Amino acid sequence: MPSFSLAALTVLELAPPAMIDVAAACGYQQVGLRLLPAMPGGVAHPLMEDEVGLRETLARLDATGITVADLEVVALRPETEIAAFSAFFETGARLGARHILVADYDPDLSRFRDRYASFCEAAAPYGLTADLEFMPWTYAPDLASAARVVAQVGQPNAGVLVDALHFDRSRSSIDELANVPTHRLHYWQMCDAPAEQPATTDAMIHAARHERMFPGEGGIDLVALARAMPADITISLEIPTIELAKTMDAKARAQRALDAARNVIARSLDGA
C-alpha cells in the first residue's frame, strides 16, 4: 500500500495539531496543511505568523510520527511577489514538508511561466517541490496544459498534481497521463464524484470545495487512475463533505475516507 495523507480540505474545521492527532488515530502516515487560503477570506492556518501554533504543531508531529506531505495553497496571480513567500518556505522546512500545491490564476501564460519558474527556484533550497494543480476554472485547466508548463519551465522540483476530481471534470485521459514523466508526479489527490458532469462552472467549483464523495462511492474510475499513477507516491485524500460534517465528526469522516481509499488501491492491485 502507498502512504496516505489527510488533506486539509477533508477536515477543514480542525487546526493543524488536532488534524495531526486525527490522522494518527485513523492510520494515516501524513497530513497536508493549509497555511494559505484557497481564495481571499478562505479558511487557513498561517503557521508562519503563529509561532505558538507552529510549535504545538511540531510537537504533535514529533509525538505521533506523522509527517507533512504538502502545504497549501499558493495561487499565483498577476500581482504575486515571490519574495513574499520567504516565511512560508521557512515554515515548510521547519515542518519537514515535501510539496507545495500551486495554482495558476494568471491569464498571461508567459508571465505565469516566469513566475512559476521563479517560485520553483525559491522553494528548492528548502527541499520543497512546487506542484501545479490543474483545475478546469484556472488558467491551467487540464492535465495537458499543466504538463506542458512544467516541461517548459524545466525546474527539477516542478511537478504536476493530479486531483482525481479535476482529472475527470477536465476530461483528461489516462493516455495523456502516460506521457507525463514519472519524476514529475510527486503525489496525487483521491476522491470520488457523481459520473454526471456539473452543468456550470460555479457548480463544479462548489462541488470541488464543499461536496465530494468517498472513493468508490461515485462514478470516477479511480481504479484505472490508481493503476496509471506511480505506485510509490503519496495519495492525499481530499474529500470535503460539508453536509455530512453536520452529523459526522472529523475523525469518522477521515477514517471513512482512508478505508475507502485503501479499498480502491487493493482493487487496483488485485486486478478486480
Side-chain angles (χ1 to χ4, degrees):
M1 285 282 184
S3 63
F4 291 97
S5 176
L6 177 60
L9 197 55
T10 303
V11 289
L12 200 56
E13 70 267 36
L14 299 182
M19 182 186 178
I20 291 162
D21 285 341
V22 163
C26 291
Y28 289 83
Q29 293 78 42
Q30 298 172 283
V31 294
L33 301 181
R34 181 162 289 195
L35 304 192
L36 296 168
M39 53 189 160
V43 175
H45 299 280
L47 295 177
M48 55 280 188
E49 302 168 7
D50 178 10
E51 182 64 25
V52 172
L54 176 58
R55 288 185 180 181
E56 185 180 358
T57 300
L58 290 168
R60 297 317 302 151
L61 291 171
D62 184 59
T64 60
I66 294 289
T67 60
V68 178
D70 67 298
L71 306 177
E72 303 177 334
V73 176
V74 172
L76 295 182
R77 307 179 188 275
E79 67 274 14
T80 301
E81 296 291 339
I82 302 304
F85 291 102
S86 294
F88 177 85
F89 293 141
E90 291 167 3
T91 299
R94 289 179 66 183
L95 290 165
R98 298 178 59 194
H99 316 298
I100 301 170
L101 188 157
V102 179
D104 179 4
Y105 285 95
D106 189 339
D108 186 321
L109 177 59
S110 178
R111 180 173 59 201
F112 174 75
R113 277 197 307 255
D114 290 346
R115 184 170 280 120
Y116 177 49
S118 296
F119 184 86
C120 290
E121 290 176 348
Y126 297 91
L128 292 158
T129 67
D131 298 272
L132 179 57
E133 181 177 21
F134 58 93
M135 294 173 272
W137 58 88
T138 68
Y139 294 101
D142 51 31
L143 174 61
S145 58
R148 186 161 52 248
V149 168
V150 168
Q152 289 169 344
V153 301
Q155 295 294 323
N157 61 331
V160 176
L161 177 55
V162 175
D163 179 312
L165 181 69
H166 306 320
F167 183 86
D168 180 79
R169 293 334 192 199
S170 66
R171 303 189 189 280
S172 297
S173 71
I174 296 295
D175 287 344
E176 290 172 323
L177 184 55
N179 292 324
V180 179
T182 55
H183 72 275
R184 295 300 188 188
L185 299 168
H186 301 131
Y187 72 111
W188 65 287
Q189 296 177 324
M190 184 189 289
C191 69
D192 215 332
E196 184 178 355
Q197 294 267 343
T200 66
T201 298
D202 284 346
M204 188 181 298
I205 293 173
H206 175 80
R209 292 177 175 168
H210 302 292
E211 294 294 346
R212 303 193 189 193
M213 299 176 73
F214 296 101
E217 298 183 11
I220 299 176
D221 191 350
L222 294 175
V223 170
L225 183 56
R227 287 174 178 158
M229 295 298 296
D232 58 346
I233 63 174
T234 294
I235 301 175
S236 171
L237 303 186
E238 184 174 71
I239 311 166
T241 49
I242 297 301
E243 284 302 313
L244 184 62
K246 295 176 181 178
T247 57
M248 181 180 287
D249 67 21
K251 181 178 182 296
R253 298 190 331 267
Q255 189 69 66
R256 183 168 165 183
L258 182 59
D259 292 344
R262 283 173 169 163
N263 184 55
V264 168
I265 295 303
R267 289 171 56 206
S268 75
L269 296 174
D270 68 14

